[in-house]
């Protein structure tokens, strides 16, 4: 069973910083793209940032210049450093990973999601 577990969310004042982490565990053969999405109450899930296996990154306009995505392939972990946080960044942040994994003798390749971590930016 492969799972993604996020951590690092919390309450922070405007202008503050948070670092989110997401660890993938289980019978993992390889991980291609990883990334972060967020969903605010009453809104759709939006892309925050993605990173390929070799480190190429993409960011939504909302986070450019403030957010940095990175990954540690040896630890099956993706990070999101968020600086200069704004109240409009408040949302549940979810990580995803395009994972090839082994179930019995079969290989599966799926986009898998974590459960999310709450980020609240408020004074």
């Amino acid at each position: 069973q492969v799972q993604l577990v996020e951590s690092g969310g919390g309450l922070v004042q405007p202008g503050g910083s948070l670092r989110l982490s997401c660890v993938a565990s289980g019978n993992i053969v390889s991980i291609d793209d990883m990334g972060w999405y967020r969903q605010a109450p009453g809104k759709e899930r939006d892309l925050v940032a993605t990173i390929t296996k070799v480190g190429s990154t993409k960011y939504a306009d909302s986070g450019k210049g403030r957010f940095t995505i990175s990954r540690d392939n040896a630890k099956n972990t993706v990070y999101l450093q968020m600086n200069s946080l704004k109240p409009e960044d408040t949302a549940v942040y979810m990580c995803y990973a395009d994972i090839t994994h082994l179930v019995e003798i079969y290989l599966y390749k799926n986009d898998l999601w974590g459960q999310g971590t709450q980020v609240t930016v408020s004074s």
Side-chain angles (χ1 to χ4, degrees), residues 30-96:
S30 65
I31 303 178
D32 293 317
D33 291 359
M34 303 183 82
W36 293 90
Y37 279 71
R38 68 186 184 185
Q39 188 166 20
K43 295 189 177 181
E44 294 185 352
R45 184 180 299 183
D46 291 327
L47 172 70
V48 177
T50 62
I51 185 167
T52 69
K53 193 171 187 176
V54 296
S56 296
T57 58
K58 290 184 181 178
Y59 295 92
D61 287 344
S62 58
K64 284 181 180 177
R66 300 187 298 126
F67 296 173
T68 303
I69 189 171
S70 61
R71 64 190 282 175
D72 185 333
N73 291 332
K75 296 181 179 179
N76 292 334
T77 301
V78 62
Y79 305 97
L80 185 68
Q81 177 67 43
M82 304 187 292
N83 299 326
S84 303
L85 283 162
K86 306 174 182 179
E88 51 264 43
D89 295 317
T90 295
V92 175
Y93 284 70
M94 294 159 283
C95 71
Y96 85 93

Side-chain angles (χ1 to χ4, degrees), residues 12-25:
V12 64
Q13 292 188 341
S17 298
L18 283 175
R19 188 190 194 212
L20 306 182
S21 300
C22 173
V23 180
S25 62

